[in-house]
Amino acid sequence: YTYNQSVTVDKTITKETKKNSNNEDEDVYKLDMSASSLSKIVNYNSGVDYILMLDVSGNMTDTRMTSLKTALTDFINQVYERSSGSRIAMVQFSQNSYVLTNESHTAVEDALVTVKTGKDSLNNIVTNLTADSNKDSSQYSNSDQAMFDALKIFQSANNDNETDDLGQKYSERTRVSILFSAGLPGKGKNS
């Protein structure tokens, strides 16, 4: 389906028969859904602060992880081409949430990396992403903790009155958070 001539959504439903806890056959329906934009990032020169929240739970199959890495690499490269003064922070989540763009793994303003100088570093983080290998990790998708970390990063950035190359105060930037998820509920704080 195409919505508003800009977003295409593909949906596939498959039926599987599995044994339930009483060892009886039970029909289970699996919905695979993907969405893609038919347009590119708006040509925008002033900087934007992005936080990308990345599901690395056991629900992220090899195919999903490959798709995630492709989407992230394309996103970083598009931002670099169109608004290299923008900043990106990445937060991964499974059982816990971790900030990926600074040494201390804490949700502070310095987690935001300027794409102009940190594109290669950001792409290396993407290349090295792996799904949680803990056998119980498919139960966990702690996206609420990732959103809390994103909020802390943005709140910290509110105090940054330094200016970028275009003279814009970092504290006055547009802020965008994007959640990448396998779409399966887990055991987070609010699950």
Side-chain angles (χ1 to χ4, degrees):
Y1 302 100
T2 301
Y3 300 96
N4 299 329
Q5 299 180 349
S6 61
V7 176
T8 299
V9 177
D10 294 318
K11 300 176 195 174
T12 306
I13 297 176
T14 55
K15 177 182 167 183
E16 298 177 15
T17 303
K18 294 186 176 188
K19 299 284 186 192
N20 63 20
S21 59
N22 296 327
N23 204 25
E24 300 169 334
D25 285 345
E26 182 175 83
D27 290 336
V28 177
Y29 294 89
K30 179 180 173 185
L31 170 66
D32 285 320
M33 187 166 71
S34 66
S36 61
S37 173
L38 300 176
S39 62
K40 295 195 178 235
I41 294 174
V42 176
N43 198 359
Y44 194 76
N45 291 325
S46 62
V48 175
D49 287 344
Y50 298 97
I51 298 182
L52 310 178
M53 296 167 286
L54 316 174
D55 186 348
V56 295
S57 69
N59 294 318
M60 292 296 288
T61 62
D62 289 342
T63 302
R64 288 178 179 152
M65 189 58 75
T66 298
S67 296
L68 173 64
K69 289 180 178 186
T70 299
L72 292 171
T73 301
D74 289 348
F75 180 81
I76 292 166
N77 292 336
Q78 285 289 325
V79 171
Y80 178 79
E81 289 175 19
R82 298 180 187 270
S83 180
S84 63
S86 291
R87 300 185 299 180
I88 295 175
M90 287 187 261
V91 178
Q92 74 175 24
F93 62 92
S94 179
Q95 288 182 340
N96 295 305
S97 173
Y98 299 98
V99 178
L100 299 175
T101 54
N102 69 359
E103 295 291 321
S104 64
H105 300 292
T106 54
V108 294
E109 184 269 332
D110 68 353
L112 290 160
V113 173
T114 303
V115 179
K116 184 178 197 176
T117 57
K119 179 181 140 227
D120 291 339
S121 172
L122 291 166
N123 280 324
N124 284 336
I125 289 169
V126 170
T127 299
N128 293 316
L129 280 176
T130 57
D132 192 336
S133 60
N134 180 334
K135 69 175 186 155
D136 296 324
S137 71
S138 63
Q139 298 178 42
Y140 296 93
S141 186
N142 204 346
S143 58
D144 53 334
Q145 183 62 44
M147 288 185 245
F148 183 68
D149 284 344
L151 178 62
K152 288 194 298 188
I153 293 168
F154 284 150
Q155 286 173 335
S156 179
N158 285 339
N159 300 322
D160 189 353
N161 286 315
E162 298 291 320
T163 57
D164 63 16
D165 293 345
L166 299 173
Q168 179 186 26
K169 286 184 179 181
Y170 289 116
S171 60
E172 296 174 358
R173 283 189 164 195
T174 298
R175 301 215 170 93
V176 178
S177 58
I178 304 170
L179 177 72
F180 294 87
S181 171
L184 300 169
K187 294 180 180 176
K189 282 186 173 180
N190 299 315
S191 294

